[in-house]
């Protein structure tokens, strides 16, 4: 039986990945931050099947202990301060966790279990002000937020540890991926949650930022399969994971509101509070390498994804889930 250690297991991706690995017969160890109030919404169905370790990406000793005790065959480093907008409010913390935290995890592995395979959750935000479209593994980076800069450090230190110490370390450059478990601040979930509340008469308007930004949005459940596939290859490598389709935030509004029989124009108010100091205008990824080498392709379309999320939020507020 293989063992996987997942950091960020309480988050969107961590919960889908843990479910996938348990189904494959893995023993799953999870690193969890101590919190005063339990945060187990995403993992409540499987929390008794996980071996828990208390720790924090900024605390090397806790990571070393988790690696030493769980003796993982595979480590998936999904933990991060993951919200771009907050990275301007907490730039130092974002650098310490999302950037240097990756180094802590790599050091824990190098010192304690150097044969463990390592996956780093890198991000299309590293492309930022894109220099070519579509973006591939060879596109130069130009991050536009403290988050993007921190992720770039995580990406390069992963490659550096692979080249310096021969670790089996992969960096997955994942484009935006969403689900009913997406954090409420992110634009897709903010919109689907808002649509449900408006439909059920709990709210009248939805305040939004830049409607022109374009994102390549996929389904998180599809994307965690790519993470696993990367660690099953003979050689460690870096891969772009994306759908190859991009949509504006305005299109997202149109699709989400129409799922509930509403017209977004009657409910959306633009609010500069949600504008960012620097924007990423367009993301569109090419996952050709992942298709060829991993045999990975996304299964859920943009429209199916948004409908799934609107329905889940409607069920949540109408008390049927
Ligand atoms: P989430 O924000 O849903 O989950 C983040 C996880 O990290 C949570 O479990 C959180 O724990 C944990 N965490 C945060 N800070 C720390 C810390 N200091 N020490 C230990 N754990 C911590 O993110 P996603 O699941 O959406 O994303 C997973 C990873 O993939 C992240 O690294 C993200 O940046 C990256 N990524 C995500 C993309 C996306 O579109 N979803 C795209 C590209 C990359 P807690 O529950 O305690 O808050
Ligand atoms: P990001 O790509 O990781 O920053 O993911 P988000 O879901 O947070 O944002 C995606 C895009 O939606 C960005 O270009 C935001 O500027 C844009 N956007 C427009 N209005 C909002 C809003 O109200 N909230 C968020 N989170 N994003 C918004």
């Amino acid at each position: 039986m293989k063992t996987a250690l997942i950091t960020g297991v309480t988050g969107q991706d961590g919960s889908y990945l843990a479910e996938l690995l348990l189904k494959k017969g893995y023993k799953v160890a999870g690193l969890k931050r101590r919190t005063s109030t339990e945060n187990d919404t995403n993992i409540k169905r499987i929390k008794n099947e996980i071996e828990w370790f208390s720790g924090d990406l900024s605390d090397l000793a806790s990571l070393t202990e988790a690696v030493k005790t769980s003796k993982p065959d595979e480590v998936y480093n999904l933990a991060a301060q993951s919200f771009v907008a907050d990275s301007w409010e907490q730039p130092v913390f974002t650098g310490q966790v999302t950037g240097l935290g990756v180094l802590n995890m790599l050091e824990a592995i190098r010192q304690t279990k150097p044969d463990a395979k390592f996956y780093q959750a890198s991000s299309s935000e590293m492309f930022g002000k894109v220099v070519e479209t579509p973006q591939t593994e060879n596109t130069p980076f130009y991050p536009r937020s403290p988050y993007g800069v921190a992720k770039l450090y995580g990406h390069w230190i992963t490659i550096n540890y692979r080249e310096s110490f021969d670790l089996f370390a992969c960096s997955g450059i994942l484009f935006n991926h969403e689900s009913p478990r997406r954090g409420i601040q992110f634009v897709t979930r903010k919109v689907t949650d808002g649509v449900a509340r408006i439909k059920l008469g709990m709210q009248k308007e939805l305040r939004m930022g830049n409607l022109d930004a374009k994102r390549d949005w996929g389904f998180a459940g599809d994307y965690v399969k790519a993470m696993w596939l990367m660690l099953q290859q003979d050689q460690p490598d870096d891969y772009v994971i994306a759908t190859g389709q991009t949509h504006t935030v305005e299109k997202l509004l149109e699709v989400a509101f129409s799922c509930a029989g509403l017209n977004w124009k009657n409910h959306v108010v633009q609010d500069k509070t949600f504008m960012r100091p620097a924007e990423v205008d367009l993301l569109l990824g090419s996952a050709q390498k992942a298709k060829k080498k991993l045999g990975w392709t996304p299964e859920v379309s943009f429209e199916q994804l948004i409908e799934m999320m609107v329905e889940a939020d409607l069920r949540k507020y109408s008390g049927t889930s």
Side-chain angles (χ1 to χ4, degrees):
M1 184 195 269
K2 277 193 195 172
T3 298
L5 172 64
I6 304 176
T7 73
V9 70
T10 55
Q12 171 187 255
D13 292 7
S15 62
Y16 281 109
L17 180 66
E19 286 169 6
L20 177 78
L21 297 181
L22 286 169
K23 233 181 260 161
K24 288 185 184 295
Y26 276 66
K27 181 174 171 201
V28 174
L31 186 91
K32 198 170 172 221
R33 293 196 282 185
R34 195 209 75 83
T35 47
S36 299
T37 314
E38 190 72 33
N39 171 20
D40 64 356
T41 319
N42 290 332
I43 39 99
K44 56 178 180 288
R45 281 184 303 271
I46 54 167
K47 79 175 186 190
N48 294 334
E49 297 173 61
I50 295 174
E51 182 186 13
W52 289 105
F53 292 90
S54 178
D56 193 292
L57 270 204
S58 61
D59 184 69
L60 175 59
S62 65
L63 305 181
T64 303
E65 182 57 32
V67 173
K68 214 199 277 175
T69 308
S70 66
K71 301 184 185 64
D73 301 288
E74 298 170 9
V75 176
Y76 295 85
N77 186 40
L78 310 185
Q81 190 301 94
S82 65
F83 187 44
V84 170
D86 273 6
S87 75
W88 280 283
E89 312 287 331
Q90 301 178 39
V92 176
F93 174 75
T94 302
Q96 281 164 347
V97 173
T98 305
L100 275 180
V102 185
L103 177 58
N104 282 332
M105 197 66 247
L106 284 162
E107 265 302 299
I109 292 169
R110 185 181 75 83
Q111 292 174 19
T112 315
K113 193 153 188 321
D115 63 336
K117 294 180 171 183
F118 177 75
Y119 172 85
Q120 167 56 18
S122 293
S123 165
S124 55
E125 288 291 320
M126 301 188 306
F127 296 123
K129 190 171 180 183
V130 299
V131 302
E132 67 178 13
T133 297
Q135 295 87 52
T136 72
E137 293 79 5
N138 300 319
T139 301
F141 299 113
Y142 190 152
R144 291 274 277 177
S145 61
Y147 170 84
V149 174
K151 279 288 178 190
L152 195 49
Y153 177 84
H155 173 71
W156 279 115
I157 200 68
T158 298
I159 292 171
N160 181 260
Y161 267 50
R162 178 167 80 215
E163 294 176 354
S164 305
F165 303 116
D166 209 21
L167 295 191
F168 191 109
C170 300
S171 176
I173 307 173
L174 271 53
F175 283 60
N176 297 51
H177 46 279
E178 321 293 314
S179 74
R181 300 182 196 174
R182 184 64 143 150
I184 202 83
Q185 291 175 302
F186 294 88
V187 73
T188 52
R189 187 70 201 295
K190 176 176 169 176
V191 169
T192 62
D193 178 85
V195 165
R197 292 174 63 87
I198 290 169
K199 180 72 181 173
L200 298 172
M202 301 162 72
Q203 175 176 320
K204 282 209 159 53
E205 61 179 32
L206 183 62
R207 304 189 82 83
M208 300 287 303
N210 175 16
L211 305 189
D212 298 324
K214 291 182 165 175
R215 290 290 182 278
D216 179 333
W217 280 295
F219 172 51
D222 286 342
Y223 284 39
V224 298
K225 292 179 191 160
M227 298 175 186
W228 176 77
L229 282 167
M230 285 179 214
L231 298 199
Q232 310 316 307
Q233 305 307 303
D234 292 336
Q235 296 299 326
D237 207 343
D238 310 318
Y239 297 88
V240 160
I241 299 298
T243 70
Q245 288 187 18
T246 192
H247 299 92
T248 59
V249 173
E250 185 177 311
K251 181 71 183 173
L252 161 69
L253 289 168
E254 189 189 310
V255 172
F257 276 83
S258 73
C259 285
L262 300 169
N263 183 343
W264 71 272
K265 290 185 178 157
N266 297 332
H267 302 282
V268 171
V269 178
Q270 267 195 294
D271 181 340
K272 61 176 189 313
T273 319
F274 297 106
M275 300 288 189
R276 295 173 178 185
E279 181 59 283
V280 172
D281 296 318
L282 161 74
L283 291 175
L284 172 60
S286 167
Q288 286 309 311
K289 178 176 170 184
K291 186 176 181 188
K292 196 165 154 220
K293 298 207 166 167
L294 307 178
W296 180 87
T297 46
E299 286 171 22
V300 177
S301 72
F302 173 69
E303 286 77 11
Q304 288 169 331
L305 170 66
I306 302 307
E307 192 181 350
M308 179 203 305
M309 293 173 70
V310 170
E311 282 175 3
D313 281 323
L314 280 168
R315 278 198 302 276
K316 185 183 75 183
Y317 286 117
S318 55
T320 54
S321 70

